[in-house]
Amino acid sequence: MNKKGVASSFAWKLCERGASQVITIVVQIVLARLLAPDDFGALAIIVVFTNLANVFIQKGFASSIIRKKDASDADYNTAFVVSEGITLVCIAILFVVAPLIAGFYNNSHITWYLRVLSISLVFGALYSIENAVLVRNMKFKVIFIRSIAAALISGAVGIVAAFCGMGVWALIIQSVSQQIILCVVTYFGCDWKPRLSFSRESFRSIFSFGSKILVAELISIGVEDLRTLIIGKRYSSADLAYYDRGQYYPNAAMRGLYDTISSVMLPVLSKEQDNKEQLKKSVEQSVSLSVYMISPLFVGLAAVADLFVLLLLTERWAPSIPFLRLFCIYQLAFPIYGIMRQSLYAIGNSAAVLKLEIIRGMLFMVAIITGCLISPFVIAITTSVALYITTFIYVLFVHKFTGFNLKKVLKNILLTGLQCLIMYVFIMLLNRLSISKLLLLIIDVLVGAGIYIGLSILLRNESFAFLKKYARTIMKRK
């Protein structure tokens, strides 16, 4: 696929994830104003266990279907049957261990919170296959419309529940309803319809690749969520809530962007796995464009972290400001990390990803153990360092296997980094103005965007030139 094809797919997927995550973030902001920090602390703990269950259910098989050159209905149905079977096992396990988890955290309410939240896994399993089929066929417009509908409806349901004084249950209802709605509306937009049929041949084909992805994802998500479990046990629910909200907003934004990158790049790179020259170019272009578009958003959010929290979440969430600023910097590595992972998956080297995720897991374990002896903020610092080290190792591995132009990519990243640094300094200087918070936030956004675009023109940033050319092409078509 050429540059314009990748950009078009990326644009649609970015709109889908971007709009969906914006709606979700707005809903979470409203809920944060209505609910207490302790409510979010309790939810953060139970979400860890459903996240781990989702790894078993969704990750390996969906990626295998997207990557497979000649996937058939037999593959889709086999993946669906196996995923739902795993789902039932996971739900049974969660029902049994829920009281034990509640006792460990001295919160009896966790038992039924976790049991009810686990219901969403059934719908998540079906949606993961539906979504994989749509992604494989590059139908990002269909995904866009249905994701927006699910986010809007479930968000409204969650806010109404919060207004009714339902506390943590409002967060759970919002989460479960979003998964149900997403599954149902996607069903009517997907050509494939699930059937209870199983093929041993399909299973062997999918599992041979997907099993390594499954283990890699389990390590990746497991070490990420381990921080939450340790903070929840060692510190108070409020401490966990401040940590969780500080990471939530950058993480939610990056999750949308990362999903965009992985959803678009895996099918694109998979089709180019036999064309080494085109694969190299795609990796170079993807990294440069992603870093250029994503970095200013997170650096900008870090610069306005105080205004964001105090204006939108209120004073009671002020302790989350340092976490928010740090996790914005933490997330800057994810576009590169994500593209490098998808590149290895695309060329069929899931074994390398598994090895790298084991290294990442060990680095994170050392970082978490070191940090938990001091404070939650130090945990955030040490794990950030671990992520950057992991990303650097991934870059070296992909460079070895594909031979992409590392110097060119580093040059583009450093240029974008310089632009972001200058923008950050200017915004921090503006923050000294003694004017209303809302007006200052608007000024920060406008001036920051102006500086970044102006520097792109002045420094002749290649990514900006490409996006400008692409925009002109789209306008001419209209």
Side-chain angles (χ1 to χ4, degrees):
M1 184 175 287
N2 58 26
K3 266 187 176 184
K4 292 179 181 178
V6 174
S8 177
S9 298
F10 187 88
W12 269 115
K13 185 62 181 176
L14 183 61
C15 287
E16 179 261 315
R17 295 310 302 162
S20 178
Q21 291 299 331
V22 165
I23 294 169
T24 301
I25 288 172
V26 170
V27 170
Q28 290 295 316
I29 288 172
V30 174
L31 292 174
R33 296 176 71 93
L34 295 172
L35 303 174
D38 284 346
D39 292 333
F40 285 92
L43 181 70
I45 292 171
I46 61 176
V47 165
V48 168
F49 296 97
T50 55
N51 282 345
L52 291 174
N54 263 321
V55 174
F56 288 101
I57 296 165
Q58 297 186 20
K59 294 298 181 179
F61 295 112
S63 296
S64 294
I65 287 173
I66 294 171
R67 179 190 173 275
K68 195 173 181 182
K69 287 185 176 181
D70 53 349
S72 63
D73 280 359
D75 296 319
Y76 303 150
N77 290 323
T78 298
F80 166 68
V81 170
V82 174
S83 294
E84 290 294 355
I86 295 172
T87 298
L88 295 178
V89 173
C90 288
I91 291 176
I93 292 172
L94 290 175
F95 260 70
V96 172
V97 303
L100 301 177
I101 296 170
F104 184 75
Y105 286 99
N106 299 315
N107 186 339
S108 60
H109 298 295
I110 286 178
T111 298
W112 280 104
Y113 291 161
L114 182 55
R115 286 174 173 174
V116 173
L117 189 61
S118 68
I119 294 172
S120 64
L121 298 175
V122 175
F123 300 92
L126 173 56
Y127 173 71
S128 68
I129 308 302
E130 293 173 334
N131 188 65
V133 174
L134 293 174
V135 168
R136 177 181 172 78
N137 297 320
M138 308 294 280
K139 292 186 177 180
F140 297 111
K141 185 176 180 180
V142 175
I143 300 173
F144 167 73
I145 295 171
R146 281 149 181 80
S147 295
I148 297 302
L152 285 171
I153 297 171
S154 63
V157 170
I159 290 172
V160 170
F163 268 113
C164 293
M166 298 185 70
V168 179
W169 284 112
L171 298 169
I172 294 172
I173 290 171
Q174 187 269 329
S175 181
V176 174
S177 62
Q178 182 172 18
Q179 196 64 70
I180 294 173
I181 295 166
L182 194 57
C183 177
V184 172
V185 297
T186 304
Y187 177 87
F188 294 103
C190 183
D191 295 332
W192 168 76
K193 304 302 177 187
R195 293 179 59 190
L196 294 177
S197 64
F198 178 84
S199 166
R200 289 185 179 181
E201 184 179 345
S202 292
F203 178 74
R204 283 195 295 267
S205 174
I206 295 171
F207 188 75
S208 63
F209 182 78
S211 59
K212 296 183 181 67
I213 297 178
L214 177 63
V215 177
E217 290 289 345
L218 186 62
I219 294 171
S220 176
I221 294 175
V223 295
E224 288 274 349
D225 288 342
L226 182 61
R227 296 177 297 181
T228 299
L229 296 178
I230 289 176
I231 294 172
K233 180 62 179 178
R234 186 174 176 83
Y235 301 95
S236 68
S237 292
D239 288 330
L240 175 58
Y242 297 136
Y243 175 95
D244 181 66
R245 288 300 92 180
Q247 78 162 344
Y248 174 80
Y249 299 104
N251 186 49
M254 182 53 73
R255 186 164 61 245
L257 295 167
Y258 179 76
D259 286 349
T260 300
I261 293 169
S262 59
S263 295
V264 174
M265 295 318 301
L266 182 54
V268 169
L269 295 174
S270 294
K271 291 175 182 177
E272 297 170 350
Q273 58 185 290
D274 297 325
N275 187 338
K276 290 294 180 68
E277 287 303 315
Q278 189 58 46
L279 180 63
K280 287 193 292 185
K281 290 180 181 178
S282 293
V283 171
E284 292 164 10
Q285 293 162 3
S286 300
V287 172
S288 298
L289 283 171
S290 298
V291 171
Y292 176 79
M293 291 189 290
I294 292 172
S295 296
L297 302 178
F298 287 88
V299 173
L301 180 57
V304 301
D306 297 69
L307 295 173
F308 178 87
V309 171
L310 298 178
L311 187 63
L312 300 180
L313 304 182
T314 69
E315 287 276 353
R316 65 178 173 177
W317 289 100
S320 68
I321 293 174
F323 292 106
L324 175 59
R325 185 168 282 129
L326 179 59
F327 278 113
C328 284
I329 307 304
Y330 173 90
Q331 295 292 345
L332 289 177
F334 253 95
I336 305 171
Y337 167 80
I339 291 171
M340 296 300 123
R341 274 187 64 165
Q342 296 306 319
S343 300
L344 291 173
Y345 281 147
I347 61 177
N349 203 340
S350 57
V353 176
L354 177 56
K355 291 176 183 177
L356 291 172
E357 286 303 317
I358 291 173
I359 293 173
R360 178 175 182 252
M362 292 189 292
L363 289 172
F364 265 68
M365 286 296 295
V366 172
I368 292 169
I369 292 171
T370 303
C372 76
L373 298 174
I374 304 172
S375 72
F377 189 69
V378 175
I379 293 177
I381 293 174
T382 54
T383 51
S384 296
V385 173
L387 177 63
Y388 274 84
I389 294 173
T390 304
T391 302
F392 179 72
I393 297 172
Y394 259 101
V395 169
L396 295 180
F397 258 74
V398 176
H399 175 63
K400 176 184 176 182
F401 284 111
T402 66
F404 72 89
N405 192 329
L406 182 57
K407 288 184 179 179
K408 180 181 178 182
V409 170
L410 288 176
K411 178 184 175 183
N412 291 335
I413 291 174
L414 290 174
L415 181 60
T416 296
L418 176 62
Q419 292 179 212
C420 288
L421 179 61
I422 295 172
M423 180 190 72
Y424 181 86
V425 171
F426 270 89
I427 293 176
M428 293 303 290
L429 291 174
L430 284 174
N431 286 342
R432 297 184 178 185
L433 295 175
S434 299
I435 56 178
S436 73
K437 290 184 177 66
L438 179 59
L439 179 59
L440 183 56
L441 181 60
I442 294 171
I443 292 173
D444 281 345
V445 171
L446 294 176
V447 172
I451 291 172
Y452 189 73
I453 294 172
L455 288 171
S456 297
I457 298 171
L458 182 64
L459 299 175
R460 297 180 180 179
N461 192 300
E462 291 181 7
S463 297
F464 175 77
F466 167 74
L467 292 172
K468 184 179 177 182
K469 183 179 179 180
Y470 178 72
R472 285 176 176 173
T473 303
I474 295 297
M475 293 301 292
K476 286 180 180 179
R477 288 178 185 173
K478 294 181 179 180

